[in-house]
Amino acid sequence: MKKKILVANRGEIAIRLTRAIQELGCEAVAVYETPDEMSRHIRIADEAILLGDGPRCDYLNIEKIIRAAKKSGACAIHPGYGFLAENPFFAKACENNGIIFIGPTADIILNLGNKVIARNIMAEAGIPMVPGTQNLKQGRIGVAEALSFAAKYGYPTMLKATSGGGGRGIRRIESDAEMKEMIPVARAEALAAFNDDSVFLEKVVINPKHVEVQILADSHGNTLHLGTRDCSIQRRNQKLIEIAPSMIKNRPLLDEICNTAVKAAKAANYLNAGTVEFLIDKDQNYYFMEINTRVQVEHTVTEMITGIDIVRNQINIAFGKPLSFTQKDVQIRGHAIEVRINAEDPKNDFMPEGGKKVSVYRSTGGFGVRLDGFVYQGYVIPEVYDSLLVKLTVHGFTWEETVERLKRCLHNFAIRGPKTTIPFYVNIANEKDFVTGNFDTSYIETHPHIFHYDEDASEVGKLARFISQIHYSRENPFSK
Ligand code: ADP
Ligand code: ADP
Ligand code: MG
């Protein structure tokens, strides 16, 4: 009988995981909530279980998911990213029910999910980091401590939710007055969002590059890195475009960062796939930021430049297998760029475009192109989930070639119905600083002209509009 693995997620990542599960000769069990019943992740799975009406609460319901796993006879669960992926209670519940959790152990998730505990582990191991409040009472700083930290290191300073994630719960504070005002606000928000009101302070790195290192660690003592990614192109601390490897010309520095990441992972007794995130300042000093204990949205760029299937390895590691390659076997080839194509209107503060029907969907293709999506023509985007439709990842031999490939793909990608981030990415792909690799986390704010475009003006826009008119007149024959 084939092994069954339950996919505790939705959207593009559920499909990504299902593909790896099926390639390994196992069967994939999908779960879903009612608003997702038209989702493609259900269709491609070998079996699908309705959790409930949701929205979101059933994808987050540990008990229901464990029950679904037992009902289907799944021996393992892959949580993907978001939802329960970084929930130590979920990992523990799997363990208690004799189900393999495809990820690190509950203890590792618990420690690293708390940014202050993580910083303390890394400080102990001698990993460089920006000064911060290290108080082991889990970052429960008060106003007095905050003001004395700011007096010592100066403003601006970063106020962070200790249990935060996904770019949320991070605030730049510019003055004592703002600090006094914002600490209670930040606490209340953190409590609502992360069920933990602890906050802590970090010195701000001015206009840093965000560089992260992909780690794979098996249960036989092997911990390897798969090179770097640059995720500096962000909006409100959330990534939009990711590239691999980092464009920093200083090779010894990047090698050092990779080795430091392995050291950091070992210090945390890390197991399975994870990401060590760093900030790099103008003088090329680098600082540990956090470890994400899951597969990342942007894992695709690393897969393209290394040829290593991260999800396949996650599953094998969880089943107790040793990694089948060594650090020497990991060779970086060329460059990769991923853009997150979201149903959002960048011109309207990235307002989500959920609720709309995708009237035309014609994706791109060809050499060096990878698509991770779940949307099809006729699909109505549920309003209740996040707005990621498809990740476009391109791979090229040189950086120039990779950017040119990205441009070609964006120009040939027709989505009609919801507004998307495609025209915005077209502008970035044509922008001088992006093309020359000259960007840091301030890129979007400092390049306001990337918001200037006319989505209906391009040839592909016109074609998509034409196709959607034909569809509309077929479906509504009596309308004018
Ligand atoms: P990446 O994997 O590239 O770092 P993000 O940090 O944007 O991606 O997070 C991936 C997904 O997980 C996003 O959909 C985000 O909303 C969600 N997410 C990440 N961390 C949390 C968290 N602590 N709580 C809720 N959602 C989260
Ligand atoms: P999350 O868990 O939400 O991903 P991170 O701690 O990884 O939070 O930070 C997300 C982003 O916020 C970083 O990529 C960076 O752009 C910004 N950031 C975080 N800490 C600092 C800092 N100390 N100085 C400057 N920017 C920071
Ligand atoms: Mg982060």
Side-chain angles (χ1 to χ4, degrees):
M1 224 179 66
K2 284 187 176 179
K3 256 188 208 156
K4 284 187 186 178
I5 300 177
L6 185 136
V7 174
N9 217 298
R10 65 174 300 278
E12 69 84 18
I13 194 64
I15 291 179
R16 167 71 187 90
L17 305 179
T18 300
R19 287 176 174 147
I21 290 166
Q22 292 172 339
E23 284 176 11
L24 279 164
C26 304
E27 286 186 355
V29 181
V31 291
Y32 66 103
E33 299 177 342
T34 310
D36 245 347
E37 62 194 357
M38 298 311 288
S39 175
R40 216 158 72 78
H41 83 274
I42 302 170
R43 306 287 172 276
I44 71 158
D46 298 281
E47 186 179 329
I49 297 176
L50 175 66
L51 295 171
D53 290 337
R56 290 184 301 271
C57 55
D58 291 316
Y59 283 129
L60 288 165
N61 188 319
I62 295 176
E63 214 175 290
K64 282 191 180 180
I65 290 174
I66 298 281
R67 218 183 301 143
K70 289 192 155 170
K71 184 175 156 202
S72 65
C75 63
I77 298 182
H78 198 311
Y81 58 70
F83 292 128
L84 295 170
E86 290 167 289
N87 185 320
F89 303 106
F90 184 50
K92 195 79 201 162
C94 290
E95 200 183 296
N96 291 344
N97 284 278
I99 297 165
I100 295 170
F101 175 80
I102 302 175
T105 61
D107 289 342
I108 297 171
I109 299 173
L110 190 65
N111 281 339
L112 297 179
N114 182 304
K115 289 181 199 254
V116 173
I117 296 179
R119 281 173 58 90
N120 282 303
I121 295 171
M122 297 309 148
E124 188 102 337
I127 307 292
M129 66 183 75
V130 287
T133 50
Q134 298 280 109
N135 184 343
L136 240 186
K137 277 181 275 161
Q138 310 198 350
R140 212 168 272 279
I141 53 156
V143 174
E145 194 188 344
L147 293 179
S148 77
F149 179 86
K152 184 161 176 203
Y153 294 104
Y155 287 105
T157 178
M158 211 59 123
L159 180 60
K160 289 188 171 185
T162 308
S163 298
R168 295 173 311 140
I170 300 177
R171 263 199 181 81
R172 242 174 107 122
I173 305 289
E174 307 284 348
S175 67
D176 279 358
E178 199 182 350
M179 185 81 86
K180 285 181 201 153
E181 187 192 333
M182 291 328 288
I183 283 190
V185 176
R187 266 196 206 296
E189 280 181 10
L191 185 65
F194 312 111
N195 201 23
D196 171 9
D197 74 347
S198 340
V199 293
F200 72 108
L201 285 174
E202 241 177 51
K203 189 172 153 61
V204 169
V205 183
I206 304 289
N207 298 345
K209 282 182 186 284
H210 171 121
V211 172
E212 58 184 36
V213 179
Q214 176 70 53
I215 295 290
L216 284 177
D218 67 18
S219 54
H220 302 265
N222 305 302
T223 304
L224 311 180
H225 70 79
L226 304 187
T228 55
R229 295 188 282 256
D230 183 302
C231 312
S232 302
I233 310 243
Q234 305 179 350
R235 170 189 168 260
R236 298 196 182 149
N237 306 318
Q238 286 173 5
K239 301 160 185 169
L240 285 173
I241 300 183
E242 299 97 341
I243 67 174
S246 158
M247 300 279 287
I248 291 177
K249 299 282 187 293
N250 186 345
R251 266 300 295 273
L253 175 68
L254 291 181
D255 290 343
E256 190 184 320
I257 290 175
C258 289
N259 293 331
T260 303
V262 170
K263 195 170 145 193
K266 285 183 174 163
N269 288 320
Y270 201 76
L271 181 65
N272 213 290
T275 299
V276 187
E277 295 189 331
F278 296 94
L279 294 176
I280 303 187
D281 70 14
K282 291 273 168 296
D283 303 320
Q284 304 210 325
N285 299 302
Y286 64 95
Y287 308 99
F288 169 84
M289 191 162 45
E290 64 162 344
I291 299 189
N292 291 322
T293 56
R294 56 176 157 91
V295 66
Q296 306 262 134
V297 175
E298 62 273 19
H299 74 282
T300 60
V301 287
T302 300
E303 292 184 328
M304 295 296 258
I305 59 161
T306 59
I308 293 168
D309 183 329
I310 292 169
V311 177
R312 185 184 178 91
N313 278 285
Q314 281 194 292
I315 298 169
N316 283 335
I317 290 169
F319 283 114
K321 295 194 182 142
L323 285 165
S324 61
F325 50 87
T326 65
Q327 189 66 61
K328 270 215 314 286
D329 300 322
V330 180
Q331 297 291 330
I332 306 294
R333 276 188 78 137
H335 299 261
I337 306 173
E338 179 206 74
V339 295
R340 302 186 187 197
I341 299 179
N342 295 336
E344 289 170 356
D345 182 4
K347 287 188 183 184
N348 187 12
D349 203 22
F350 291 82
M351 182 76 85
E353 290 271 301
K356 297 197 176 154
K357 180 173 169 177
V358 178
S359 55
V360 174
Y361 186 84
R362 200 196 63 181
S363 58
T364 181
F367 181 60
V369 179
R370 167 174 177 174
L371 294 169
D372 289 81
F374 70 109
V375 169
Y376 50 87
Q377 196 151 303
Y379 178 72
V380 179
I381 302 163
E383 272 172 285
V384 291
Y385 305 114
D386 72 41
S387 48
L388 179 60
L389 297 180
V390 52
K391 304 185 305 202
L392 165 65
T393 311
V394 293
H395 183 216
F397 195 71
T398 63
W399 171 250
E400 292 68 32
E401 180 185 326
T402 313
V403 173
E404 281 159 14
R405 186 155 293 139
L406 175 65
K407 280 196 240 178
R408 173 195 47 94
C409 289
L410 290 169
H411 281 298
N412 289 303
F413 211 136
I415 300 178
R416 188 86 197 164
K419 292 198 173 95
T420 75
T421 44
I422 291 175
F424 174 71
Y425 294 139
V426 168
N427 278 4
I428 294 180
N430 283 294
E431 195 283 321
K432 194 178 102 285
D433 284 331
F434 178 76
V435 172
T436 54
N438 177 29
F439 44 79
D440 57 41
T441 57
S442 71
Y443 180 83
I444 305 264
E445 285 160 49
T446 50
H447 294 76
H449 53 287
I450 55 181
F451 286 90
H452 298 168
Y453 55 81
D454 176 358
E455 49 242 298
D456 292 328
S458 71
E459 285 310 310
V460 69
K462 283 183 206 158
L463 179 65
R465 193 166 48 205
F466 180 60
I467 300 171
S468 78
Q469 277 159 1
I470 296 172
H471 282 289
Y472 182 78
S473 57
R474 277 211 199 118
E475 285 167 24
N476 304 281
F478 302 111
S479 75
K480 288 211 195 82

